[in-house]
Amino acid sequence: MSEAEASGRPEGEEVTVRDAISAPDAQGEPRRTTRRFPLFTRDTARPEGGGRAAPGDAPAPARQWPILTVLSAVALGLLLTALDVFRVGTILIGAALLAGAVMRWMLPSVGMLAVRSRFTDMVTYSVLGVAIVLLALMVQPNPVLVIPFLDDTLHFTVR
């Protein structure tokens, strides 16, 4: 049995290969010599969050409502911050991230709000949200939250 018969090709047909190749494998087909991706990919997987919040036939805003909610709240917080309502704006930004963490935990499908694993997304959104809210509460003048050891630490490092 010849190589062409073993691979299922007619006898005189040439093999067209678009990637770098090396010696043929056991079935007579050329194999790739590099682990690099080909120049043009035709069969990539969809992103993890793509189309998971609503059915695939729903329009994009309906499928991606979780991230649109978080981004809208962050945009409103940035607008309030730009309008000199700093504390309220930054608390809203932190609350939006915390809401994203809660949505990632509670909802089975959150669209593009799912970036990494569920645990990693929840921890990232939570830590950033809590940090932003705490910093907003401690901002001068007239802080709502005063942590005494931070004041002592600041005076020790400045002196």
Side-chain angles (χ1 to χ4, degrees):
M1 179 183 264
S2 70
E3 265 184 52
E5 292 171 352
S7 66
R9 295 188 313 268
E11 185 64 42
E13 185 179 329
E14 289 290 321
V15 177
T16 304
V17 179
R18 298 171 202 253
D19 299 328
I21 59 169
S22 69
D25 61 8
Q27 286 77 30
E29 295 294 322
R31 0 172 232 183
R32 295 178 54 154
T33 59
T34 178
R35 292 177 55 176
R36 291 184 186 197
F37 290 107
L39 186 58
F40 299 105
T41 3
R42 292 177 181 81
D43 57 350
T44 57
R46 292 174 52 191
E48 180 186 347
R52 290 182 8 192
D57 57 347
R63 287 192 316 257
Q64 301 302 332
W65 70 267
I67 196 161
L68 290 175
T69 304
V70 172
L71 288 177
S72 298
V74 168
L76 180 61
L78 289 173
L79 179 66
L80 289 174
T81 302
L83 295 174
D84 274 347
V85 191
F86 179 79
R87 193 179 313 263
V88 175
T90 52
I91 288 175
L92 183 59
I93 292 170
L97 288 171
L98 291 172
V102 169
M103 281 191 277
R104 186 69 172 108
W105 177 46
M106 300 291 286
L107 301 175
S109 56
V110 290
M112 291 182 66
L113 192 61
V115 179
R116 297 159 293 267
S117 70
R118 184 180 303 266
F119 176 78
T120 305
D121 282 343
M122 286 178 1
V123 168
T124 303
Y125 296 147
S126 299
V127 167
L128 290 174
V130 166
I132 290 173
V133 168
L134 287 178
L135 289 172
L137 293 174
M138 292 188 297
V139 74
Q140 296 289 336
N142 305 322
V144 176
L145 178 65
V146 177
I147 302 177
F149 75 86
L150 289 180
D151 192 38
D152 295 339
T153 305
L154 178 66
H155 288 294
F156 177 73
T157 58
V158 172
R159 288 184 194 165

